[in-house]
Amino acid sequence: MNSLFELDEQLIKLQFEASSREEVTTYLAGRLEAGGYIKSSFLPAVLEREKTYPTGLPLAAFGVAIPHTDPEHVNKPAISVATLKEPVIFHKMGSPDETVQAKIVFVLAISEPSKQLVMLEKLMTLFRKEEVMTKLSHMTSYEEAVDVLQQELNQ
């Protein structure tokens, strides 16, 4: 399979208890850094970018967020995902004055600008699948979460 990015159980945290967007983003970036996917400059760049270009997206059932930054901070492509016990507030993409209660956070480590659009399109397609997203938000099986995400995003 020719995959766009790496995704394994080490990059996923289910039912995470985070109190802020910074906490969940820091945790997921830590997972990426431990796996060698990103450079140490990634997290500060993501947090800074989020201030100017927020990534919260309201969906039908709940919100999601897709924090990411420039490819120069990435060693190899991957996605780190957290489902949250309780949503955290992200500012809304395109409308920074509005907020989104994000229940799932996808930290994107994209190494090639040409693949960023492809990945965002795949995520948007997934986000429109309300049943899959709701199922994902309640999962407790890491194996099942990896299977669903691989099936939806890496085809």
PDB file of all heavy atoms in Angstrom, residues 25 32 42-51 53-57 65-71 73-74 78-79 90 93 105-110 116-117 119-120 123-124:
ATOM      1  N   THR A  25      -2.204  19.201  22.105  1.00  0.00           N
ATOM      2  CA  THR A  25      -1.261  19.385  20.993  1.00  0.00           C
ATOM      3  C   THR A  25       0.154  19.012  21.435  1.00  0.00           C
ATOM      4  O   THR A  25       0.883  18.330  20.706  1.00  0.00           O
ATOM      5  CB  THR A  25      -1.315  20.837  20.475  1.00  0.00           C
ATOM      6  OG1 THR A  25      -2.663  21.148  20.087  1.00  0.00           O
ATOM      7  CG2 THR A  25      -0.400  21.031  19.276  1.00  0.00           C
ATOM      8  N   LEU A  32       4.826  12.207  18.338  1.00  0.00           N
ATOM      9  CA  LEU A  32       5.468  12.305  17.014  1.00  0.00           C
ATOM     10  C   LEU A  32       6.984  12.439  17.150  1.00  0.00           C
ATOM     11  O   LEU A  32       7.746  11.796  16.424  1.00  0.00           O
ATOM     12  CB  LEU A  32       4.900  13.485  16.227  1.00  0.00           C
ATOM     13  CG  LEU A  32       3.475  13.313  15.695  1.00  0.00           C
ATOM     14  CD1 LEU A  32       2.908  14.657  15.260  1.00  0.00           C
ATOM     15  CD2 LEU A  32       3.437  12.315  14.553  1.00  0.00           C
ATOM     16  N   PHE A  42       9.014  21.595  15.764  1.00  0.00           N
ATOM     17  CA  PHE A  42       7.626  21.369  15.326  1.00  0.00           C
ATOM     18  C   PHE A  42       6.606  21.960  16.297  1.00  0.00           C
ATOM     19  O   PHE A  42       5.746  22.735  15.900  1.00  0.00           O
ATOM     20  CB  PHE A  42       7.378  19.867  15.134  1.00  0.00           C
ATOM     21  CG  PHE A  42       6.000  19.520  14.629  1.00  0.00           C
ATOM     22  CD1 PHE A  42       5.740  19.484  13.271  1.00  0.00           C
ATOM     23  CD2 PHE A  42       4.967  19.208  15.507  1.00  0.00           C
ATOM     24  CE1 PHE A  42       4.468  19.148  12.798  1.00  0.00           C
ATOM     25  CE2 PHE A  42       3.708  18.875  15.050  1.00  0.00           C
ATOM     26  CZ  PHE A  42       3.461  18.851  13.686  1.00  0.00           C
ATOM     27  N   LEU A  43       6.678  21.555  17.569  1.00  0.00           N
ATOM     28  CA  LEU A  43       5.660  21.993  18.540  1.00  0.00           C
ATOM     29  C   LEU A  43       5.579  23.510  18.661  1.00  0.00           C
ATOM     30  O   LEU A  43       4.477  24.071  18.544  1.00  0.00           O
ATOM     31  CB  LEU A  43       5.886  21.343  19.908  1.00  0.00           C
ATOM     32  CG  LEU A  43       4.891  21.790  20.992  1.00  0.00           C
ATOM     33  CD1 LEU A  43       3.453  21.459  20.608  1.00  0.00           C
ATOM     34  CD2 LEU A  43       5.258  21.168  22.323  1.00  0.00           C
ATOM     35  N   PRO A  44       6.703  24.230  18.872  1.00  0.00           N
ATOM     36  CA  PRO A  44       6.584  25.693  18.944  1.00  0.00           C
ATOM     37  C   PRO A  44       5.985  26.284  17.663  1.00  0.00           C
ATOM     38  O   PRO A  44       5.198  27.230  17.730  1.00  0.00           O
ATOM     39  CB  PRO A  44       8.013  26.179  19.146  1.00  0.00           C
ATOM     40  CG  PRO A  44       8.793  24.995  19.604  1.00  0.00           C
ATOM     41  CD  PRO A  44       8.079  23.779  19.123  1.00  0.00           C
ATOM     42  N   ALA A  45       6.323  25.711  16.520  1.00  0.00           N
ATOM     43  CA  ALA A  45       5.791  26.223  15.252  1.00  0.00           C
ATOM     44  C   ALA A  45       4.288  25.973  15.141  1.00  0.00           C
ATOM     45  O   ALA A  45       3.537  26.835  14.670  1.00  0.00           O
ATOM     46  CB  ALA A  45       6.537  25.585  14.070  1.00  0.00           C
ATOM     47  N   VAL A  46       3.837  24.793  15.590  1.00  0.00           N
ATOM     48  CA  VAL A  46       2.398  24.480  15.564  1.00  0.00           C
ATOM     49  C   VAL A  46       1.632  25.432  16.486  1.00  0.00           C
ATOM     50  O   VAL A  46       0.594  25.994  16.102  1.00  0.00           O
ATOM     51  CB  VAL A  46       2.124  23.017  15.970  1.00  0.00           C
ATOM     52  CG1 VAL A  46       0.645  22.794  16.248  1.00  0.00           C
ATOM     53  CG2 VAL A  46       2.585  22.062  14.883  1.00  0.00           C
ATOM     54  N   LEU A  47       2.121  25.600  17.703  1.00  0.00           N
ATOM     55  CA  LEU A  47       1.425  26.462  18.673  1.00  0.00           C
ATOM     56  C   LEU A  47       1.379  27.909  18.183  1.00  0.00           C
ATOM     57  O   LEU A  47       0.358  28.597  18.342  1.00  0.00           O
ATOM     58  CB  LEU A  47       2.091  26.367  20.043  1.00  0.00           C
ATOM     59  CG  LEU A  47       1.995  24.997  20.731  1.00  0.00           C
ATOM     60  CD1 LEU A  47       2.796  24.989  22.019  1.00  0.00           C
ATOM     61  CD2 LEU A  47       0.550  24.595  20.985  1.00  0.00           C
ATOM     62  N   GLU A  48       2.447  28.371  17.569  1.00  0.00           N
ATOM     63  CA  GLU A  48       2.486  29.739  17.038  1.00  0.00           C
ATOM     64  C   GLU A  48       1.527  29.882  15.858  1.00  0.00           C
ATOM     65  O   GLU A  48       0.789  30.857  15.752  1.00  0.00           O
ATOM     66  CB  GLU A  48       3.924  30.095  16.624  1.00  0.00           C
ATOM     67  CG  GLU A  48       4.125  31.566  16.334  1.00  0.00           C
ATOM     68  CD  GLU A  48       3.750  32.484  17.504  1.00  0.00           C
ATOM     69  OE1 GLU A  48       3.998  32.147  18.674  1.00  0.00           O
ATOM     70  OE2 GLU A  48       3.182  33.573  17.222  1.00  0.00           O
ATOM     71  N   ARG A  49       1.520  28.894  14.971  1.00  0.00           N
ATOM     72  CA  ARG A  49       0.649  28.931  13.790  1.00  0.00           C
ATOM     73  C   ARG A  49      -0.825  28.917  14.206  1.00  0.00           C
ATOM     74  O   ARG A  49      -1.657  29.573  13.601  1.00  0.00           O
ATOM     75  CB  ARG A  49       0.945  27.746  12.870  1.00  0.00           C
ATOM     76  CG  ARG A  49       0.187  27.818  11.563  1.00  0.00           C
ATOM     77  CD  ARG A  49       0.423  26.569  10.702  1.00  0.00           C
ATOM     78  NE  ARG A  49      -0.193  26.712   9.396  1.00  0.00           N
ATOM     79  CZ  ARG A  49      -1.488  26.620   9.158  1.00  0.00           C
ATOM     80  NH1 ARG A  49      -2.335  26.388  10.154  1.00  0.00           N
ATOM     81  NH2 ARG A  49      -1.964  26.767   7.935  1.00  0.00           N
ATOM     82  N   GLU A  50      -1.126  28.166  15.253  1.00  0.00           N
ATOM     83  CA  GLU A  50      -2.510  28.040  15.722  1.00  0.00           C
ATOM     84  C   GLU A  50      -3.066  29.395  16.172  1.00  0.00           C
ATOM     85  O   GLU A  50      -4.259  29.654  16.057  1.00  0.00           O
ATOM     86  CB  GLU A  50      -2.561  27.015  16.865  1.00  0.00           C
ATOM     87  CG  GLU A  50      -3.937  26.532  17.222  1.00  0.00           C
ATOM     88  CD  GLU A  50      -4.609  25.658  16.176  1.00  0.00           C
ATOM     89  OE1 GLU A  50      -3.944  24.937  15.422  1.00  0.00           O
ATOM     90  OE2 GLU A  50      -5.858  25.711  16.118  1.00  0.00           O
ATOM     91  N   LYS A  51      -2.197  30.284  16.653  1.00  0.00           N
ATOM     92  CA  LYS A  51      -2.638  31.616  17.078  1.00  0.00           C
ATOM     93  C   LYS A  51      -3.111  32.454  15.885  1.00  0.00           C
ATOM     94  O   LYS A  51      -4.057  33.232  16.003  1.00  0.00           O
ATOM     95  CB  LYS A  51      -1.494  32.363  17.777  1.00  0.00           C
ATOM     96  CG  LYS A  51      -1.105  31.778  19.104  1.00  0.00           C
ATOM     97  CD  LYS A  51       0.096  32.532  19.669  1.00  0.00           C
ATOM     98  CE  LYS A  51       0.663  31.864  20.889  1.00  0.00           C
ATOM     99  NZ  LYS A  51       1.926  32.474  21.315  1.00  0.00           N
ATOM    100  N   TYR A  53      -3.528  31.104  12.490  1.00  0.00           N
ATOM    101  CA  TYR A  53      -4.362  30.299  11.583  1.00  0.00           C
ATOM    102  C   TYR A  53      -4.969  29.137  12.366  1.00  0.00           C
ATOM    103  O   TYR A  53      -4.481  28.017  12.308  1.00  0.00           O
ATOM    104  CB  TYR A  53      -3.531  29.755  10.420  1.00  0.00           C
ATOM    105  CG  TYR A  53      -2.866  30.826   9.607  1.00  0.00           C
ATOM    106  CD1 TYR A  53      -1.499  31.077   9.719  1.00  0.00           C
ATOM    107  CD2 TYR A  53      -3.604  31.614   8.718  1.00  0.00           C
ATOM    108  CE1 TYR A  53      -0.889  32.069   8.979  1.00  0.00           C
ATOM    109  CE2 TYR A  53      -2.998  32.605   7.973  1.00  0.00           C
ATOM    110  CZ  TYR A  53      -1.640  32.825   8.108  1.00  0.00           C
ATOM    111  OH  TYR A  53      -1.034  33.814   7.375  1.00  0.00           O
ATOM    112  N   PRO A  54      -6.041  29.413  13.117  1.00  0.00           N
ATOM    113  CA  PRO A  54      -6.633  28.363  13.945  1.00  0.00           C
ATOM    114  C   PRO A  54      -7.199  27.225  13.090  1.00  0.00           C
ATOM    115  O   PRO A  54      -7.529  27.411  11.922  1.00  0.00           O
ATOM    116  CB  PRO A  54      -7.735  29.092  14.713  1.00  0.00           C
ATOM    117  CG  PRO A  54      -8.016  30.326  13.958  1.00  0.00           C
ATOM    118  CD  PRO A  54      -6.771  30.675  13.208  1.00  0.00           C
ATOM    119  N   THR A  55      -7.303  26.041  13.713  1.00  0.00           N
ATOM    120  CA  THR A  55      -7.667  24.847  12.948  1.00  0.00           C
ATOM    121  C   THR A  55      -8.896  24.117  13.470  1.00  0.00           C
ATOM    122  O   THR A  55      -9.134  22.965  13.116  1.00  0.00           O
ATOM    123  CB  THR A  55      -6.476  23.867  12.930  1.00  0.00           C
ATOM    124  OG1 THR A  55      -6.178  23.488  14.278  1.00  0.00           O
ATOM    125  CG2 THR A  55      -5.261  24.480  12.263  1.00  0.00           C
ATOM    126  N   GLY A  56      -9.690  24.750  14.317  1.00  0.00           N
ATOM    127  CA  GLY A  56     -10.906  24.108  14.802  1.00  0.00           C
ATOM    128  C   GLY A  56     -11.977  24.086  13.724  1.00  0.00           C
ATOM    129  O   GLY A  56     -12.186  25.068  13.013  1.00  0.00           O
ATOM    130  N   LEU A  57     -12.647  22.935  13.608  1.00  0.00           N
ATOM    131  CA  LEU A  57     -13.710  22.770  12.614  1.00  0.00           C
ATOM    132  C   LEU A  57     -14.952  22.195  13.289  1.00  0.00           C
ATOM    133  O   LEU A  57     -14.883  21.109  13.875  1.00  0.00           O
ATOM    134  CB  LEU A  57     -13.263  21.799  11.508  1.00  0.00           C
ATOM    135  CG  LEU A  57     -12.121  22.247  10.623  1.00  0.00           C
ATOM    136  CD1 LEU A  57     -11.588  21.076   9.805  1.00  0.00           C
ATOM    137  CD2 LEU A  57     -12.592  23.356   9.692  1.00  0.00           C
ATOM    138  N   ALA A  65     -10.097  19.340  15.465  1.00  0.00           N
ATOM    139  CA  ALA A  65      -9.049  20.313  15.174  1.00  0.00           C
ATOM    140  C   ALA A  65      -7.924  19.584  14.461  1.00  0.00           C
ATOM    141  O   ALA A  65      -7.685  18.395  14.701  1.00  0.00           O
ATOM    142  CB  ALA A  65      -8.533  20.964  16.455  1.00  0.00           C
ATOM    143  N   ILE A  66      -7.243  20.319  13.566  1.00  0.00           N
ATOM    144  CA  ILE A  66      -6.166  19.716  12.782  1.00  0.00           C
ATOM    145  C   ILE A  66      -4.901  20.580  12.838  1.00  0.00           C
ATOM    146  O   ILE A  66      -4.429  21.075  11.825  1.00  0.00           O
ATOM    147  CB  ILE A  66      -6.603  19.440  11.325  1.00  0.00           C
ATOM    148  CG1 ILE A  66      -7.179  20.706  10.669  1.00  0.00           C
ATOM    149  CG2 ILE A  66      -7.603  18.308  11.261  1.00  0.00           C
ATOM    150  CD1 ILE A  66      -7.405  20.580   9.169  1.00  0.00           C
ATOM    151  N   PRO A  67      -4.322  20.729  14.028  1.00  0.00           N
ATOM    152  CA  PRO A  67      -3.104  21.540  14.139  1.00  0.00           C
ATOM    153  C   PRO A  67      -1.989  20.981  13.250  1.00  0.00           C
ATOM    154  O   PRO A  67      -1.798  19.763  13.183  1.00  0.00           O
ATOM    155  CB  PRO A  67      -2.718  21.431  15.612  1.00  0.00           C
ATOM    156  CG  PRO A  67      -3.899  20.870  16.313  1.00  0.00           C
ATOM    157  CD  PRO A  67      -4.714  20.148  15.303  1.00  0.00           C
ATOM    158  N   HIS A  68      -1.288  21.870  12.579  1.00  0.00           N
ATOM    159  CA  HIS A  68      -0.173  21.473  11.716  1.00  0.00           C
ATOM    160  C   HIS A  68       0.711  22.696  11.479  1.00  0.00           C
ATOM    161  O   HIS A  68       0.373  23.798  11.881  1.00  0.00           O
ATOM    162  CB  HIS A  68      -0.674  20.901  10.387  1.00  0.00           C
ATOM    163  CG  HIS A  68      -1.559  21.830   9.617  1.00  0.00           C
ATOM    164  ND1 HIS A  68      -2.887  22.032   9.939  1.00  0.00           N
ATOM    165  CD2 HIS A  68      -1.307  22.619   8.552  1.00  0.00           C
ATOM    166  CE1 HIS A  68      -3.409  22.908   9.093  1.00  0.00           C
ATOM    167  NE2 HIS A  68      -2.475  23.289   8.249  1.00  0.00           N
ATOM    168  N   THR A  69       1.847  22.472  10.824  1.00  0.00           N
ATOM    169  CA  THR A  69       2.751  23.566  10.511  1.00  0.00           C
ATOM    170  C   THR A  69       3.526  23.237   9.243  1.00  0.00           C
ATOM    171  O   THR A  69       3.224  22.263   8.560  1.00  0.00           O
ATOM    172  CB  THR A  69       3.677  23.893  11.704  1.00  0.00           C
ATOM    173  OG1 THR A  69       4.339  25.125  11.448  1.00  0.00           O
ATOM    174  CG2 THR A  69       4.691  22.796  11.958  1.00  0.00           C
ATOM    175  N   ASP A  70       4.535  24.021   8.956  1.00  0.00           N
ATOM    176  CA  ASP A  70       5.279  23.899   7.706  1.00  0.00           C
ATOM    177  C   ASP A  70       6.128  22.632   7.645  1.00  0.00           C
ATOM    178  O   ASP A  70       6.635  22.157   8.669  1.00  0.00           O
ATOM    179  CB  ASP A  70       6.171  25.130   7.522  1.00  0.00           C
ATOM    180  CG  ASP A  70       5.345  26.407   7.494  1.00  0.00           C
ATOM    181  OD1 ASP A  70       4.290  26.413   6.834  1.00  0.00           O
ATOM    182  OD2 ASP A  70       5.745  27.385   8.156  1.00  0.00           O
ATOM    183  N   PRO A  71       6.335  22.105   6.432  1.00  0.00           N
ATOM    184  CA  PRO A  71       7.090  20.864   6.233  1.00  0.00           C
ATOM    185  C   PRO A  71       8.529  20.890   6.746  1.00  0.00           C
ATOM    186  O   PRO A  71       9.075  19.841   7.064  1.00  0.00           O
ATOM    187  CB  PRO A  71       7.072  20.677   4.710  1.00  0.00           C
ATOM    188  CG  PRO A  71       5.895  21.441   4.234  1.00  0.00           C
ATOM    189  CD  PRO A  71       5.737  22.590   5.185  1.00  0.00           C
ATOM    190  N   HIS A  73       9.606  21.445   9.481  1.00  0.00           N
ATOM    191  CA  HIS A  73       9.660  20.951  10.860  1.00  0.00           C
ATOM    192  C   HIS A  73       9.392  19.440  10.938  1.00  0.00           C
ATOM    193  O   HIS A  73       9.290  18.888  12.027  1.00  0.00           O
ATOM    194  CB  HIS A  73       8.649  21.698  11.732  1.00  0.00           C
ATOM    195  CG  HIS A  73       8.817  23.177  11.705  1.00  0.00           C
ATOM    196  ND1 HIS A  73       9.862  23.828  12.346  1.00  0.00           N
ATOM    197  CD2 HIS A  73       8.094  24.151  11.090  1.00  0.00           C
ATOM    198  CE1 HIS A  73       9.758  25.135  12.133  1.00  0.00           C
ATOM    199  NE2 HIS A  73       8.697  25.352  11.375  1.00  0.00           N
ATOM    200  N   VAL A  74       9.243  18.795   9.781  1.00  0.00           N
ATOM    201  CA  VAL A  74       8.838  17.384   9.715  1.00  0.00           C
ATOM    202  C   VAL A  74       9.958  16.541   9.114  1.00  0.00           C
ATOM    203  O   VAL A  74      10.538  16.905   8.094  1.00  0.00           O
ATOM    204  CB  VAL A  74       7.550  17.258   8.860  1.00  0.00           C
ATOM    205  CG1 VAL A  74       7.140  15.797   8.712  1.00  0.00           C
ATOM    206  CG2 VAL A  74       6.414  18.076   9.477  1.00  0.00           C
ATOM    207  N   ALA A  78       3.367  11.804   9.165  1.00  0.00           N
ATOM    208  CA  ALA A  78       2.608  11.013  10.133  1.00  0.00           C
ATOM    209  C   ALA A  78       1.428  11.834  10.627  1.00  0.00           C
ATOM    210  O   ALA A  78       1.380  13.053  10.438  1.00  0.00           O
ATOM    211  CB  ALA A  78       3.492  10.609  11.309  1.00  0.00           C
ATOM    212  N   ILE A  79       0.497  11.147  11.260  1.00  0.00           N
ATOM    213  CA  ILE A  79      -0.620  11.812  11.931  1.00  0.00           C
ATOM    214  C   ILE A  79      -0.699  11.247  13.337  1.00  0.00           C
ATOM    215  O   ILE A  79      -0.612  10.032  13.523  1.00  0.00           O
ATOM    216  CB  ILE A  79      -1.962  11.574  11.208  1.00  0.00           C
ATOM    217  CG1 ILE A  79      -1.960  12.249   9.850  1.00  0.00           C
ATOM    218  CG2 ILE A  79      -3.119  12.108  12.037  1.00  0.00           C
ATOM    219  CD1 ILE A  79      -3.272  12.120   9.111  1.00  0.00           C
ATOM    220  N   PHE A  90     -10.792  25.053  20.697  1.00  0.00           N
ATOM    221  CA  PHE A  90      -9.915  25.553  19.645  1.00  0.00           C
ATOM    222  C   PHE A  90     -10.629  26.723  19.002  1.00  0.00           C
ATOM    223  O   PHE A  90     -11.866  26.790  19.034  1.00  0.00           O
ATOM    224  CB  PHE A  90      -9.664  24.483  18.565  1.00  0.00           C
ATOM    225  CG  PHE A  90      -8.553  23.527  18.891  1.00  0.00           C
ATOM    226  CD1 PHE A  90      -8.753  22.478  19.771  1.00  0.00           C
ATOM    227  CD2 PHE A  90      -7.303  23.670  18.311  1.00  0.00           C
ATOM    228  CE1 PHE A  90      -7.731  21.585  20.068  1.00  0.00           C
ATOM    229  CE2 PHE A  90      -6.272  22.791  18.597  1.00  0.00           C
ATOM    230  CZ  PHE A  90      -6.486  21.744  19.473  1.00  0.00           C
ATOM    231  N   MET A  93     -11.374  27.652  12.382  1.00  0.00           N
ATOM    232  CA  MET A  93     -10.656  27.921  11.141  1.00  0.00           C
ATOM    233  C   MET A  93     -11.455  28.941  10.316  1.00  0.00           C
ATOM    234  O   MET A  93     -12.648  28.769  10.100  1.00  0.00           O
ATOM    235  CB  MET A  93     -10.505  26.617  10.333  1.00  0.00           C
ATOM    236  CG  MET A  93      -9.652  26.742   9.100  1.00  0.00           C
ATOM    237  SD  MET A  93      -9.569  25.201   8.141  1.00  0.00           S
ATOM    238  CE  MET A  93      -8.623  24.155   9.234  1.00  0.00           C
ATOM    239  N   VAL A 105      -8.658  15.455  18.001  1.00  0.00           N
ATOM    240  CA  VAL A 105      -7.587  16.326  17.503  1.00  0.00           C
ATOM    241  C   VAL A 105      -6.638  15.482  16.659  1.00  0.00           C
ATOM    242  O   VAL A 105      -6.198  14.411  17.083  1.00  0.00           O
ATOM    243  CB  VAL A 105      -6.828  16.994  18.672  1.00  0.00           C
ATOM    244  CG1 VAL A 105      -5.685  17.859  18.150  1.00  0.00           C
ATOM    245  CG2 VAL A 105      -7.792  17.825  19.524  1.00  0.00           C
ATOM    246  N   PHE A 106      -6.367  15.968  15.449  1.00  0.00           N
ATOM    247  CA  PHE A 106      -5.443  15.317  14.515  1.00  0.00           C
ATOM    248  C   PHE A 106      -4.251  16.255  14.330  1.00  0.00           C
ATOM    249  O   PHE A 106      -4.398  17.317  13.720  1.00  0.00           O
ATOM    250  CB  PHE A 106      -6.099  15.139  13.139  1.00  0.00           C
ATOM    251  CG  PHE A 106      -7.307  14.254  13.117  1.00  0.00           C
ATOM    252  CD1 PHE A 106      -8.552  14.720  13.526  1.00  0.00           C
ATOM    253  CD2 PHE A 106      -7.212  12.950  12.645  1.00  0.00           C
ATOM    254  CE1 PHE A 106      -9.682  13.911  13.470  1.00  0.00           C
ATOM    255  CE2 PHE A 106      -8.334  12.128  12.596  1.00  0.00           C
ATOM    256  CZ  PHE A 106      -9.563  12.605  13.013  1.00  0.00           C
ATOM    257  N   VAL A 107      -3.092  15.903  14.884  1.00  0.00           N
ATOM    258  CA  VAL A 107      -1.887  16.711  14.647  1.00  0.00           C
ATOM    259  C   VAL A 107      -1.212  16.147  13.392  1.00  0.00           C
ATOM    260  O   VAL A 107      -0.848  14.972  13.349  1.00  0.00           O
ATOM    261  CB  VAL A 107      -0.932  16.703  15.850  1.00  0.00           C
ATOM    262  CG1 VAL A 107       0.382  17.396  15.496  1.00  0.00           C
ATOM    263  CG2 VAL A 107      -1.584  17.414  17.035  1.00  0.00           C
ATOM    264  N   LEU A 108      -1.103  16.989  12.370  1.00  0.00           N
ATOM    265  CA  LEU A 108      -0.597  16.567  11.068  1.00  0.00           C
ATOM    266  C   LEU A 108       0.868  16.927  10.910  1.00  0.00           C
ATOM    267  O   LEU A 108       1.241  18.085  11.050  1.00  0.00           O
ATOM    268  CB  LEU A 108      -1.387  17.249   9.941  1.00  0.00           C
ATOM    269  CG  LEU A 108      -2.913  17.228  10.048  1.00  0.00           C
ATOM    270  CD1 LEU A 108      -3.522  17.947   8.860  1.00  0.00           C
ATOM    271  CD2 LEU A 108      -3.430  15.810  10.145  1.00  0.00           C
ATOM    272  N   ALA A 109       1.672  15.930  10.617  1.00  0.00           N
ATOM    273  CA  ALA A 109       3.083  16.149  10.292  1.00  0.00           C
ATOM    274  C   ALA A 109       3.229  15.822   8.811  1.00  0.00           C
ATOM    275  O   ALA A 109       3.344  14.656   8.430  1.00  0.00           O
ATOM    276  CB  ALA A 109       3.981  15.261  11.146  1.00  0.00           C
ATOM    277  N   ILE A 110       3.159  16.839   7.982  1.00  0.00           N
ATOM    278  CA  ILE A 110       3.195  16.653   6.532  1.00  0.00           C
ATOM    279  C   ILE A 110       4.528  17.169   6.018  1.00  0.00           C
ATOM    280  O   ILE A 110       4.893  18.321   6.259  1.00  0.00           O
ATOM    281  CB  ILE A 110       2.002  17.370   5.859  1.00  0.00           C
ATOM    282  CG1 ILE A 110       0.687  16.802   6.420  1.00  0.00           C
ATOM    283  CG2 ILE A 110       2.060  17.208   4.349  1.00  0.00           C
ATOM    284  CD1 ILE A 110      -0.541  17.571   6.043  1.00  0.00           C
ATOM    285  N   GLN A 116      -0.077  17.987   1.266  1.00  0.00           N
ATOM    286  CA  GLN A 116      -0.923  18.600   2.286  1.00  0.00           C
ATOM    287  C   GLN A 116      -2.370  18.682   1.816  1.00  0.00           C
ATOM    288  O   GLN A 116      -3.289  18.338   2.542  1.00  0.00           O
ATOM    289  CB  GLN A 116      -0.405  19.991   2.658  1.00  0.00           C
ATOM    290  CG  GLN A 116      -1.209  20.612   3.781  1.00  0.00           C
ATOM    291  CD  GLN A 116      -0.528  21.813   4.401  1.00  0.00           C
ATOM    292  OE1 GLN A 116       0.683  21.933   4.401  1.00  0.00           O
ATOM    293  NE2 GLN A 116      -1.324  22.709   4.938  1.00  0.00           N
ATOM    294  N   LEU A 117      -2.576  19.111   0.585  1.00  0.00           N
ATOM    295  CA  LEU A 117      -3.936  19.238   0.061  1.00  0.00           C
ATOM    296  C   LEU A 117      -4.621  17.880  -0.010  1.00  0.00           C
ATOM    297  O   LEU A 117      -5.787  17.740   0.354  1.00  0.00           O
ATOM    298  CB  LEU A 117      -3.906  19.905  -1.325  1.00  0.00           C
ATOM    299  CG  LEU A 117      -5.266  20.284  -1.891  1.00  0.00           C
ATOM    300  CD1 LEU A 117      -6.027  21.201  -0.942  1.00  0.00           C
ATOM    301  CD2 LEU A 117      -5.108  20.951  -3.238  1.00  0.00           C
ATOM    302  N   MET A 119      -4.022  15.255   1.848  1.00  0.00           N
ATOM    303  CA  MET A 119      -4.351  14.838   3.217  1.00  0.00           C
ATOM    304  C   MET A 119      -5.555  15.605   3.753  1.00  0.00           C
ATOM    305  O   MET A 119      -6.458  15.023   4.354  1.00  0.00           O
ATOM    306  CB  MET A 119      -3.146  15.052   4.131  1.00  0.00           C
ATOM    307  CG  MET A 119      -3.401  14.703   5.579  1.00  0.00           C
ATOM    308  SD  MET A 119      -4.188  13.114   5.892  1.00  0.00           S
ATOM    309  CE  MET A 119      -3.198  11.997   4.954  1.00  0.00           C
ATOM    310  N   LEU A 120      -5.593  16.913   3.526  1.00  0.00           N
ATOM    311  CA  LEU A 120      -6.731  17.712   4.006  1.00  0.00           C
ATOM    312  C   LEU A 120      -8.030  17.268   3.330  1.00  0.00           C
ATOM    313  O   LEU A 120      -9.077  17.197   3.977  1.00  0.00           O
ATOM    314  CB  LEU A 120      -6.471  19.199   3.783  1.00  0.00           C
ATOM    315  CG  LEU A 120      -5.357  19.781   4.664  1.00  0.00           C
ATOM    316  CD1 LEU A 120      -5.065  21.229   4.277  1.00  0.00           C
ATOM    317  CD2 LEU A 120      -5.701  19.690   6.145  1.00  0.00           C
ATOM    318  N   LEU A 123      -9.113  14.077   5.017  1.00  0.00           N
ATOM    319  CA  LEU A 123      -9.673  14.385   6.328  1.00  0.00           C
ATOM    320  C   LEU A 123     -11.078  14.968   6.200  1.00  0.00           C
ATOM    321  O   LEU A 123     -11.981  14.583   6.946  1.00  0.00           O
ATOM    322  CB  LEU A 123      -8.763  15.351   7.092  1.00  0.00           C
ATOM    323  CG  LEU A 123      -7.523  14.727   7.711  1.00  0.00           C
ATOM    324  CD1 LEU A 123      -6.556  15.819   8.156  1.00  0.00           C
ATOM    325  CD2 LEU A 123      -7.878  13.822   8.891  1.00  0.00           C
ATOM    326  N   MET A 124     -11.275  15.877   5.269  1.00  0.00           N
ATOM    327  CA  MET A 124     -12.604  16.489   5.097  1.00  0.00           C
ATOM    328  C   MET A 124     -13.635  15.429   4.705  1.00  0.00           C
ATOM    329  O   MET A 124     -14.782  15.470   5.160  1.00  0.00           O
ATOM    330  CB  MET A 124     -12.562  17.608   4.055  1.00  0.00           C
ATOM    331  CG  MET A 124     -11.751  18.806   4.480  1.00  0.00           C
ATOM    332  SD  MET A 124     -12.265  19.458   6.074  1.00  0.00           S
ATOM    333  CE  MET A 124     -10.786  20.269   6.569  1.00  0.00           C
TER     334      MET A 124
END
